[in-house]
Amino acid sequence: MLFTDVSSERAVSAFKKVGFWILRQGKHLGMTNGTRKIIIPRHNRVNPHTLKGIIRDAGLTDEEFKKLI
């Protein structure tokens, strides 16, 4: 499943729901949950393939992420 219209803000709020917090900010947002680290580019629309990789790096499935957004 590809998520086509997800902004970085929506992605950050979804990852916060499962325990991630913002570690650093800049051109990209670094988030962690204590064991895993993910990097989210700041865009109005995150590339679907990039987002899919971020979801996988966070240890979530597409279905789990879909429920969070």
Side-chain angles (χ1 to χ4, degrees), residues 6-8 13 27-29 35 40 45 48-49 53 55 58-59 68:
V6 178
S7 67
S8 57
S13 67
K27 197 173 186 178
H28 295 77
L29 293 166
T35 56
I40 302 171
R45 194 170 143 200
H49 296 287
I55 294 167
L68 295 172

Side-chain angles (χ1 to χ4, degrees), residues 15 38-41 46 49-59:
F15 288 120
I38 57 174
I39 305 295
I40 302 171
V46 179
H49 296 287
T50 303
L51 184 59
K52 192 164 179 82
I54 295 169
I55 294 167
R56 185 187 42 201
D57 291 345

Side-chain angles (χ1 to χ4, degrees), residues 14-32:
F15 288 120
K16 282 183 176 180
K17 291 177 185 176
V18 290
F20 281 84
W21 64 88
I22 295 175
L23 189 60
R24 64 175 195 223
Q25 297 182 24
K27 197 173 186 178
H28 295 77
L29 293 166
M31 297 185 78
T32 186

